[in-house]
């Protein structure tokens, strides 16, 4: 909530009509939903999105997510800023965050931590692409932040998804 609320304060001060849409990891699987489907949708443990929908700060348990910098809950200080200045929060899964990191690395030649890639994952999502606030929108800004990537965790995730030959290379230790 701290980075999003700070961005929202600055963006709305410069251009009050701007739409600010945040990004948050769902951080759970369907068996661990904190909300009943249909009540608030499949938000998992995405407490910023849930809080905005309900209009009240709704802390959830820390999400189980690759985006370790987003495992906190919406704070008492940032909640009023989010409530007043953020138009919506798009919720994404870890697989989408991982894919966004891959796009950053392969296309932009940037190492972006999972928490920082969550915003790109949101922008690439159908939920964002078809968002009603974006009708007629021609400009979108995306904040890509942080380079704190735990390579052991990343390689474990890569190897779990990869072809066996890639899995072997990803888990090999060349230096002892």
């Amino acid at each position: 909530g701290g980075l999003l609320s700070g961005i929202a304060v600055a963006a709305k001060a410069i251009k009050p009509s701007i739409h600010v849409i945040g990004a948050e990891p769902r951080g759970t699987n369907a068996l661990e939903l904190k909300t009943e489907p249909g009540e608030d949708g499949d938000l998992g443990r995405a407490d910023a999105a849930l809080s905005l929908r309900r209009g009240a700060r709704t802390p959830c348990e820390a999400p189980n997510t690759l985006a370790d910098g987003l495992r906190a809950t919406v704070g008492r200080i940032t909640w009023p800023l989010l409530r007043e200045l953020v138009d919506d929060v798009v919720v994404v899964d870890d697989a989408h965050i991982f894919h966004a990191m891959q796009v950053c690395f392969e296309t932009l030649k940037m190492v972006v931590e999972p928490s920082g890639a969550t915003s790109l994952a949101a922008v690439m999502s159908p939920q964002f692409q078809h968002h009603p606030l974006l009708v007629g929108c021609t400009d979108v800004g995306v904040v890509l932040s942080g380079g704190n990537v735990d390579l052991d965790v990343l390689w474990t995730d890569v190897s779990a998804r990869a072809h066996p030959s890639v899995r072997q290379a990803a888990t090999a230790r060349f230096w002892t």
Side-chain angles (χ1 to χ4, degrees):
L3 181 60
L4 178 56
S5 61
I7 289 169
V9 166
K12 296 278 185 167
I14 293 168
K15 185 176 181 182
S17 64
I18 197 168
H19 293 295
V20 177
I21 300 174
E24 187 173 26
R26 182 168 286 108
T28 188
N29 61 44
L31 298 176
E32 298 177 314
L33 285 177
K34 298 299 290 180
T35 60
E36 294 297 321
E39 177 190 342
D40 291 300
D42 184 9
L43 298 179
R45 294 182 181 164
D47 65 339
L50 184 59
S51 295
L52 282 178
R53 287 211 184 153
R54 291 184 175 173
R57 184 172 164 260
T58 309
C60 296
E61 291 178 34
N64 178 19
T65 178
L66 178 65
D68 57 342
L70 297 175
R71 290 183 186 151
T73 187
V74 172
R76 287 179 288 112
I77 295 171
T78 57
W79 164 241
L81 296 170
L82 296 176
R83 181 186 61 228
E84 297 302 319
L85 301 174
V86 174
D87 297 290
D88 198 6
V89 174
V90 173
V91 179
V92 295
D93 292 313
D94 277 4
H96 299 113
I97 296 169
F98 185 83
H99 178 67
M101 289 176 66
Q102 185 177 5
V103 168
C104 288
F105 185 72
E106 292 175 352
T107 306
L108 303 175
K109 308 302 183 211
M110 292 175 56
V111 176
V112 177
E113 68 184 57
S115 300
T118 301
S119 57
L120 181 59
V123 168
M124 293 171 23
S125 75
Q127 184 184 357
F128 184 89
Q129 303 275 326
H130 303 294
H131 200 288
L133 290 175
L134 299 175
V135 173
C137 179
T138 57
D139 299 311
V140 174
V142 180
V143 175
L144 300 174
S145 63
N148 298 317
V149 178
D150 183 338
L151 292 180
D152 286 335
V153 172
L154 182 62
W155 294 145
T156 300
D157 196 38
V158 167
S159 65
R161 301 167 189 266
H163 183 273
S165 62
V166 175
R167 211 174 296 134
Q168 182 180 11
T171 57
R173 299 283 182 187
F174 299 101
W175 298 278
T176 55

